[in-house]
Amino acid sequence: MKAMILNKISSLKTNKYPLELVDMPIPDIKNNEVLIKVSVCGVCHTELDEIEGRTSPPKLPVVLGHQAVGTVVKLGSEIVKLQMGDRVGVAWIFSACGKCKFCIEGNENLCNEFRATGRDVNGGYAEYMVAPENYVHRIPDVFTDAEAAPLLCAGAIGYRSIKLARLKDGQKLGLTGFGASAHLVLKMVKHKYPNTPVYVFAREEEERKFAKELGAIWSGNTSDPSPEKLDSIIDTTPAWKPVVEAMGNLEKGGRLVINAIRKEEADKDYLQNLSYPDHLWLEKEIKSVANVTGKDVSDFLELAAEASIKPETVIYELEEANKALLELKEKHIKGAKVLKIK
């Protein structure tokens, strides 16, 4: 099968082609796994973190990709819920122990044995992949494969971000950064919280315009003050400046939810601008998002189908994975990037 593999950790600034197209054997499955013929796979900022070493794969080479959609073509002997021919998706969570206190509480995203698709095991930048039945999700018929792919990560993690923001209808919400996840968050909020005004902070004029087109009542630059203090803000950027600026735009008792697996080092010195009275006092708080649970993914897919929440997508061939990743690194973003495998 064809696959794009990562052989070594490097910076995209010096290595613009970190992934190599190879031919490799179709993987075998275990009793609790299915084999999936992949049709599309979304491209995520987390892949940049893997390539550049901020969340390094435990071993190399590895096939990246954790927003994979395809068809079940082989079943393990213990499979009970899935059938041959099912159209399914695999998200960031590949598996967890199922026994620890976090798993028992339904927070398997915090499990010490959490394994990530496309990092700890081979993912969807390939013609075939395997996944355990418990973390394989049926795709609702209302979505095309390309529409479904970004929902598996950008949508599911956005869904979890909204839950952690403790948003109530009518409260004011801010979104910092406006890429794949944030534009889906805006669509979710418009459906679930119709009286909530959304304010968007983004560096690029194109992103700010896109946000207004999707229903934001205001959009400005990262450092622009919000017209009003906001009850919650969700930060989807890899930088530190948006964290400091967002804290300054929070209402008293407000919460900033950081939806990022890692923060980059480039602007870490901006944290020196943090002022206790301006940014932290009056019971403001910061909450991070750590991965997603299987229930987050399935619940969000159900919500997205009900509300007809569909992402804006840009399609690339599998062989163009490096191009898509470089454009993501350089902030050429409008919607979600998706690799077409077949």
Side-chain angles (χ1 to χ4, degrees), residues 314-318 320-321 323-324 327 337-341:
V314 182
I315 307 297
Y316 301 77
E317 299 295 328
L318 174 63
E320 297 180 298
K323 176 184 177 183
E327 289 181 2
K337 300 179 186 297
V338 177
L339 302 180
K340 183 174 67 173
I341 311 300

Side-chain angles (χ1 to χ4, degrees), residues 176-180 182-183 186 200-214 216 219-220 222 236-237 328 330-335:
T176 297
F178 204 70
H183 92 278
L186 178 51
V200 170
F201 305 83
R203 295 194 312 171
E204 303 296 331
E205 176 59 33
E206 184 179 8
E207 294 175 17
R208 296 194 290 269
K209 181 181 177 182
F210 185 35
K212 295 292 289 291
E213 290 172 356
L214 291 183
S219 63
T222 304
T236 60
T237 74
L328 189 62
E330 294 176 345
K331 314 298 183 187
H332 300 307
I333 303 168
K334 183 174 182 179

Side-chain angles (χ1 to χ4, degrees), residues 5-21:
I5 64 169
L6 176 67
N7 285 306
K8 65 177 183 178
I9 303 302
S10 63
S11 169
L12 269 79
K13 291 182 179 179
T14 56
N15 179 13
K16 299 185 185 302
Y17 304 95
L19 304 187
E20 178 187 357
L21 181 66

Side-chain angles (χ1 to χ4, degrees), residues 41 90 122 140 184 209 266 283 303 342:
C41 189
V90 183
N122 284 338
L184 291 173
K209 181 181 177 182
E283 301 187 358
L303 168 65
K342 62 177 182 180

Side-chain angles (χ1 to χ4, degrees), residues 140-188:
D141 292 338
V142 297
F143 303 117
T144 67
D145 290 358
E147 289 169 341
L151 302 180
L152 294 165
C153 181
I157 200 76
Y159 176 81
R160 187 168 186 84
S161 299
I162 293 173
K163 287 201 303 182
L164 293 179
R166 301 179 306 190
L167 189 66
K168 297 178 181 178
D169 192 27
Q171 290 185 323
K172 301 177 183 68
L173 175 69
L175 300 177
T176 297
F178 204 70
S181 185
H183 92 278
L184 291 173
V185 168
L186 178 51
K187 291 185 176 186
M188 275 183 268

Side-chain angles (χ1 to χ4, degrees), residues 10 16 20 44-45 51 58 63 66 69 86 140 161-162 169 192 214 264 301 310 338:
S10 63
K16 299 185 185 302
E20 178 187 357
C44 179
H45 196 281
I51 291 166
V63 179
H66 58 272
V69 175
D86 281 350
S161 299
I162 293 173
D169 192 27
K192 289 195 69 175
L214 291 183
E264 297 177 1
L301 287 174
K310 298 183 179 182
V338 177

Side-chain angles (χ1 to χ4, degrees), residues 76-334:
S77 61
E78 298 174 4
I79 300 302
V80 295
K81 293 180 290 187
L82 297 172
Q83 298 178 348
M84 293 285 289
D86 281 350
R87 191 169 67 116
V88 297
V90 183
W92 177 245
I93 182 167
F94 183 86
S95 66
C97 78
K99 301 174 183 177
C100 69
K101 67 174 183 178
F102 298 112
C103 287
I104 291 170
E105 293 168 354
N107 294 318
E108 72 268 30
N109 58 310
L110 303 178
C111 175
N112 287 338
E113 295 182 29
F114 177 97
R115 289 198 296 167
T117 311
R119 184 192 66 185
D120 304 317
V121 297
N122 284 338
Y125 284 20
E127 292 183 305
Y128 293 89
M129 67 177 294
V130 300
E133 182 179 39
N134 287 343
Y135 293 103
V136 175
H137 307 274
R138 284 193 178 90
I139 301 299
D141 292 338
V142 297
F143 303 117
T144 67
D145 290 358
E147 289 169 341
L151 302 180
L152 294 165
C153 181
I157 200 76
Y159 176 81
R160 187 168 186 84
S161 299
I162 293 173
K163 287 201 303 182
L164 293 179
R166 301 179 306 190
L167 189 66
K168 297 178 181 178
D169 192 27
Q171 290 185 323
K172 301 177 183 68
L173 175 69
L175 300 177
T176 297
F178 204 70
S181 185
H183 92 278
L184 291 173
V185 168
L186 178 51
K187 291 185 176 186
M188 275 183 268
V189 169
K190 296 290 286 183
H191 176 73
K192 289 195 69 175
Y193 308 100
N195 298 307
T196 287
V198 179
Y199 301 74
V200 170
F201 305 83
R203 295 194 312 171
E204 303 296 331
E205 176 59 33
E206 184 179 8
E207 294 175 17
R208 296 194 290 269
K209 181 181 177 182
F210 185 35
K212 295 292 289 291
E213 290 172 356
L214 291 183
I217 70 164
W218 176 90
S219 63
N221 209 323
T222 304
S223 56
D224 289 343
S226 173
E228 301 180 84
K229 294 295 185 182
L230 308 176
D231 299 289
S232 303
I233 299 175
I234 297 173
D235 166 36
T236 60
T237 74
W240 288 103
K241 179 178 179 179
V243 172
V244 176
E245 298 297 335
M247 295 302 291
N249 286 316
L250 276 180
E251 179 60 277
K252 292 174 283 188
R255 173 178 279 197
L256 170 65
V257 175
I258 300 178
N259 174 2
I261 194 168
R262 292 289 186 274
K263 286 289 188 179
E264 297 177 1
E265 296 293 313
D267 72 334
K268 196 171 182 179
D269 58 350
Y270 200 86
L271 288 173
Q272 295 178 13
N273 294 315
L274 198 66
S275 160
Y276 182 75
D278 295 331
H279 299 115
L280 295 174
W281 194 46
L282 296 174
E283 301 187 358
K284 296 179 183 180
E285 59 182 320
I286 300 174
K287 183 84 170 178
S288 69
V289 180
N291 312 310
V292 289
T293 67
K295 193 172 189 303
D296 290 330
V297 180
S298 58
D299 285 354
F300 172 67
L301 287 174
E302 183 178 330
L303 168 65
E306 169 194 314
S308 193
I309 295 172
K310 298 183 179 182
E312 306 290 328
T313 60
V314 182
I315 307 297
Y316 301 77
E317 299 295 328
L318 174 63
E319 294 82 355
E320 297 180 298
N322 287 312
K323 176 184 177 183
L325 287 160
L326 185 61
E327 289 181 2
L328 189 62
K329 175 73 174 178
E330 294 176 345
K331 314 298 183 187
H332 300 307
I333 303 168
K334 183 174 182 179

